[in-house]
Amino acid sequence: MLATALYASHAYLRRADRDGIARDDWAAHRWVAPDESLSHLAAAQWLAERVQPSQVAVRTDSLVTMVDAARNGMGVAPLLCMLADASARWVLQGATPMTKKIALIVGSLRKDSLNRKFANALVEVAPAELQFEFVEIGDLPLYNQDLDDAHTPPAAWTAFRDKLRNVDGIVFATPEYNRSMPGALKNAIDVGSRPWGHSIWNAKPVGVISASIGAVGGFAGNHNVRQTMVTLNAPVMPGPEVYIGNGSALIGEDGKVNNDKTKEVLAGWAAAYAKWVEANGRKA
Ligand SMILES: Cc1cc2nc3c(=O)[nH]c(=O)nc-3n(C[C@H](O)[C@H](O)[C@H](O)COP(=O)(O)O)c2cc1C
C-alpha cells in the first residue's frame, strides 16, 4: 500500500487564515482532519509514534489537496506506508512542522565576547525544535547604497542576505556600546534591510537578549535593536526580557555559564521564543 500525507501545524493554519489563503475546499478531502484521530490508518500509527498529535492540525492523503496546499506554500511530505519503519525516518524529519531554523547574530566581534558565550548557552538549553545557526557580521563591508543602486553589492552582503532570507526567526545577542547597539550590528541590520523592498528582516520573528559587564545588562543596546526591528516590520518578542548584568561573573574559566539560575533564565526565554516563532512565523 502506498499513502502520502500532508502535515500542517496550527501556526500555519492561523497564518493561512490571516493571509486569506483559501482552504475551504480542503475539508472535502479525506484525511483533512484538524486534530482528528487517524489511529485506524497504518501510516497514522507510524506517524503517531513520532509526532505529537498536537503538532499536526491537518493531514490528508488527497493529491489534489496536496497540490493546492503546496501552491499555498505548505510543505508536503510523501509518506510511504510500506517503508513505515526507521528507514523512512528522513521523510518525517523533512516534514516535522515544529522544526525552526533560527539565525543567531552576536552583536560583538571580539573573540572573548560574553554575549557569544551566553548565546552558546542559549543554544544548549533551547528546545530541540529551534535549530540555531550563528550568522557572522564581522566581514560585512560598511553599507553604501551606491553599491546596491549599481547592482554591485559585495559578495559578503549577498551571502548574508541569502543566508537570512530563508530562516524562520532571528535571535540577537548583543552588548550595548555607549548606550546604543554596536556599530557592527547596526551595519549588519542596514545591509539586510536593503535593497528597498527586499529586506530580509520583514516578518521574521525576532528575539533579543543582551549582556554587559555593567549592571544594566545592555538594556539600551537591546532596545535599540528592538526599535529598529519593529521599524523593519519584524515581530519582536516583547517578553520575557533578558538583560544579563555583571556578565563576566556568570561565566566560568571554561567559557561556559557557571550557574543554574542563568541557565534557567535562558531556558525560559528560549521556550517563550519558540512559542513566539510558532505563533508569528512567516517566511518573508
Ligand atoms: C565602545 C564600547 C562602548 C561600551 N559602552 C557600554 C555601555 O554603554 N554600557 C555598558 O553597560 N557597557 C558598555 N561597554 C562595555 C561592554 O558592556 C563590555 O565590553 C561587554 O563585555 C561587551 O560585550 P561582549 O563581551 O559581548 O563583547 C562598552 C564597551 C565598548 C568597547
Side-chain angles (χ1 to χ4, degrees), residues 106-118 173-180 182 211-221 247-248:
V106 177
S108 166
L109 304 187
R110 74 186 187 100
K111 64 177 179 347
D112 274 338
S113 163
L114 292 171
N115 282 278
R116 186 171 292 275
K117 288 169 185 166
F118 289 116
T174 186
E176 70 180 20
Y177 279 3
N178 302 314
R179 296 285 184 262
S180 182
S212 163
I213 53 172
V216 290
F219 175 91
S248 45

Side-chain angles (χ1 to χ4, degrees), residues 15-279:
R15 280 205 307 277
D17 283 339
R18 189 187 66 198
D19 298 345
I21 296 172
R23 56 183 174 89
D24 292 351
D25 294 347
W26 301 358
H29 295 290
R30 204 154 60 92
W31 276 38
V32 175
D35 290 330
E36 180 190 312
S37 169
L38 299 170
S39 55
H40 59 290
L41 296 166
Q45 284 171 7
W46 180 80
L47 180 65
E49 287 174 18
R50 290 159 174 85
V51 178
Q52 290 173 16
S54 62
Q55 293 179 1
V56 181
V58 168
R59 302 168 176 89
T60 184
D61 67 349
S62 158
L63 190 59
V64 174
T65 306
M66 284 185 220
V67 170
D68 187 29
R71 282 197 180 124
N72 282 312
M74 187 189 292
V76 175
L79 172 65
L80 302 180
C81 287
M82 55 192 171
L83 292 178
D85 59 21
S87 65
R89 178 158 286 199
W90 65 271
V91 174
L92 184 62
Q93 281 174 348
T96 302
M98 287 290 282
T99 300
K100 304 291 179 190
K101 209 169 147 189
I102 308 296
L104 222 171
I105 297 179
V106 177
S108 166
L109 304 187
R110 74 186 187 100
K111 64 177 179 347
D112 274 338
S113 163
L114 292 171
N115 282 278
R116 186 171 292 275
K117 288 169 185 166
F118 289 116
N120 286 332
L122 182 73
V123 172
E124 279 178 23
V125 298
E129 71 256 28
L130 297 182
Q131 296 188 344
F132 287 101
E133 181 187 355
F134 282 86
V135 176
E136 303 302 332
I137 61 173
D139 292 334
L140 293 173
L142 287 179
Y143 186 70
N144 178 343
Q145 190 186 335
D146 289 344
L147 301 177
D148 273 333
D149 289 348
H151 304 289
T152 56
W157 291 3
T158 304
F160 180 74
R161 290 164 174 167
D162 287 348
K163 202 169 267 182
L164 287 172
R165 189 163 290 115
N166 293 318
V167 299
D168 299 305
I170 296 150
V171 169
F172 295 93
T174 186
E176 70 180 20
Y177 279 3
N178 302 314
R179 296 285 184 262
S180 182
M181 77 172 91
L185 180 54
K186 182 60 165 54
N187 182 56
I189 292 174
D190 291 342
V191 167
S193 72
R194 296 292 161 131
W196 174 253
H198 298 276
S199 167
I200 47 85
W201 313 110
N202 184 44
K204 292 275 163 56
V206 160
V208 188
I209 64 170
S210 56
S212 163
I213 53 172
V216 290
F219 175 91
N222 183 315
H223 277 262
N224 275 152
V225 176
R226 289 165 182 259
Q227 177 190 335
T228 308
M229 282 296 132
V230 167
T231 307
L232 291 166
N233 195 39
V236 183
M237 184 168 78
E241 298 159 279
V242 169
Y243 314 103
I244 303 174
N246 303 315
S248 45
L250 306 174
I251 300 289
E253 284 183 4
D254 59 357
K256 299 192 167 206
V257 170
N258 62 10
N259 66 94
D260 289 342
K261 180 68 195 161
T262 306
K263 287 180 198 168
E264 276 167 31
V265 168
L266 290 171
W269 186 92
Y273 178 68
K275 287 188 186 150
W276 184 255
V277 174
E278 185 66 19

